Amino acid sequence: MATQGKIKGAEIIMESLRKEGVDLIFGYPGGANLPMYDALHKYPDIRHILVRHEQAAAHAADAYARVTGKAGVCWATSGPGATNLVTGIANAWMDSVPLVCITGQVVSWLLGRDGFQEADITGITIPIVKQNWLVLNVEDIAPTIAEAFHVATTGRPGPVLVDIPRDVQQQLCEFEYPDKVDIPGYQPTVQGHPQQIKKAAALIAEAERPLILAGHGVVIARAAEELQELAEKADIPVITTLLGLGGFPGSHELYQGMPGMHGMYWNNIAIQEADVLIAIGMRFDDRVTGSLKDFAPKAKIIHIEVDPAEVGKNVPTAIPIVGDVKAVLQQLLPHVERARHDDWRNWFREMRRDHPSIAIPETEKILPQYVIKSIYDRSPGDAYYATGVGQHQMWAAQYFWGDNPYSFVTSGGLGTMGFEVPAAIGVQFARPQSTVWSFCGDGGFQMTMEELALCREYELPIKFAIINNHFLGMVRQWQDTFYDHNLSQVKMFQPDFVKLAEAMGIEAIRVTDKAMVPTAIDAALQHPGAVLIDFHVEHVEDCYPMMPPGVSLSDTIDQPPVAQLQEALR
Amino acid sequence: MSGRLHTIVALVENRPGVLNKIASKWRQRGFNIESLTVGHSETPGLSRMTFTVDGTTNDIEQVTKQLFKVIEVVKISDVTEQETVARELALIKVSTTKETRSAIIEIVDIFRAKIVDVAVDSLVVETTGTEDKVDALISMLTPYGLKELVRTGRVAMVRGGTSTVGAPQRNGQERHFKPAGEGKPKVGSLI
Ligand SMILES: Cc1ncc(C[n+]2csc(CCOP(=O)(O)OP(=O)(O)O)c2C)c(N)n1
């Protein structure tokens, strides 16, 4: 179905995006994508959001994709525009987020000659994309974009990049969009192997201490309902990884919180005690497993995972099931027997009573945990949260016991500081009617704070909570704990965040007194526009529980062994 | 890397950038590719690659799985444990004098190798065989003075009727792959 007559390559890009149902692009213009900007005004149904730095375009599109389940789209010019996307692409790669990046490139006859603003972005991004393409013919634009969306969104999702020289964007061609993509080397498995499914059901039926460890795959596959059904039917406690948060309702009696380096103490021990571990849509990251040789010594592991390369990568599995998490759970459910595991449930109750991992001490000081928990407690149930990376991220995860599967947006695999601001922007665009909080580190915030300007420009009512400990907190904690208190380059001059916000046209509040915490949060929630709250929290507060790197889950430390350490530092 | 030499055969789409992506996956895991050959396969548009890599079976399996995720890799398998025919081709330029020439020709004959070029002071010998055979011939010729040596590295094929890593079939029909360079050049990152 070709359009009437020939149109420019840049218009073909826009037509293709329209075919893919894209209505939002985060981008930044430059010499090599000028034809795309020239075409933009003809497509009023596709909104372009002008970021202040291309990294933010990638992060915002990434967060938008996490919340909506659709591919996020960002674009940039060649050279520095393209390389500025790289951190965002790597972030999406590590967290399996469908992100479609379109970069302008120098004109094709200058390729490989170091022309002005040339960067070999398809070469640069090879290890951090599912696939990339350099399009050298205008006829190839539409089929390539179709392939790009197909690859980004199917199987294990991930980022893709399409690089298009400026002259190709200007060439004329008829627009014809393929209605089907068929790539011989790319046929993701969807259904699980029926034999494996039966074996898994049999193993679950035998289990006395079964444990479900759910990851990002549950959220990505939109399989929260199926997971809940499985857990309830076989009475299995559920724990979720950092990226799996929300994949199971936090308020559910079977839910036990997060395991891992800063996870709940009881969960790390539970993994070591479980006899059957049902790992769903997760990849046994070292932040979850601790020392691999000591991981889950008593458990037979069932691993449900869409990416065959993840099976057996880090831990040996008894029953691997390769397939889409939702499809596999649907297949599995009818075979699973109803069961009760009262003793095991009791084990959790007692552990949680004896090890109150995230109890907040009574004090007049403003503890960062207290601020974060207060925000959760006072915000509506359908609020969304984006975080940066560091201590505040871990606290945000520890105290997140929400029910909305897509409401906790964080940089898990790459751990990208600076994600908090653009991610919140992406979330707010995805959910214009919802409350969106951005938990910011005072360090991470300074990496992407230029994007605050967008809140005013696009009227985004984001609530920024700077958990301001005047330190690169997580690094400070590691230097204190593992480098003999040698605090090196973790304290920096701080701008006046309140004035800064005001300069960006945003309301701002500074909180220096514990009594102000709830009032400031409520005021921010009631304010129709964006608000920044600069919470001056305790400078030295360590994040616990903690499993030191390289040790076994069994060696998790529930409470700080060195409370005196904090005194010593005052 | 402790382990042994593995032979891996892959069927890949013949596009720019494929070799780069494959090499990149090995590099990321710290493997050294011992040898690598690429050439057209029986299916237009698809190339067959043979590479040899040193490592444990488990490590190699991990990388092979990662390689299968490269979109252009249609099939891939480690054929080390299978009955294969494995061959290598070498061209050896060896110094000659009037006195040594006939002795060299004798060695070449014993190895059923061929002389493919003759000059006043050198010969070019061509040989095909297992790596052991090629090694042996080279060591026999070395005393005469090697001027230049080039080896292709291993190519391998599983014995018997089945194809090593055959082109995928659908509904009993060979699928069509568009070769790069035929018609409109297809997209891809540059090698
Ligand atoms: C881009 C980037 N650079 C460096 C790091 C290493 N790093 C991890 S946590 C951290 C400190 C973060 O400080 P801040 O944003 O103030 O958050 P806090 O830990 O104090 O909550 C650093 C530097 C990182 N994760 N990302």
Side-chain angles (χ1 to χ4, degrees), chain A residues 168-179:
Chain A
V168 179
Q169 299 169 37
Q170 257 151 345
Q171 284 162 15
L172 295 173
C173 176
E174 300 207 335
F175 174 66
E176 196 174 344
Y177 205 67
D179 38 38

Side-chain angles (χ1 to χ4, degrees), chain A residues 389-392 415-417 441-444 447 469 471-475:
Chain A
V389 169
Q391 289 186 312
H392 70 283
T416 314
M417 281 171 72
D442 51 289
M447 285 194 172
N469 54 14
F471 270 120
L472 297 176
M474 188 56 95
V475 179

Side-chain angles (χ1 to χ4, degrees), chain A residues 291-344:
Chain A
S291 144
L292 282 171
K293 67 177 192 339
D294 305 309
F295 178 74
K298 300 178 185 166
K300 291 200 176 112
I301 298 176
I302 299 169
H303 191 190
I304 302 173
E305 167 60 46
V306 70
D307 180 357
E310 290 299 343
V311 171
K313 186 177 88 174
N314 293 341
V315 301
T317 38
I319 306 176
I321 308 176
V322 175
D324 173 74
V325 164
K326 193 179 182 83
V328 171
L329 287 178
Q330 283 168 350
Q331 285 174 281
L332 178 64
L333 276 167
H335 298 280
V336 171
E337 290 169 24
R338 290 206 173 273
R340 299 229 31 103
H341 299 289
D342 293 333
D343 290 350
W344 182 224

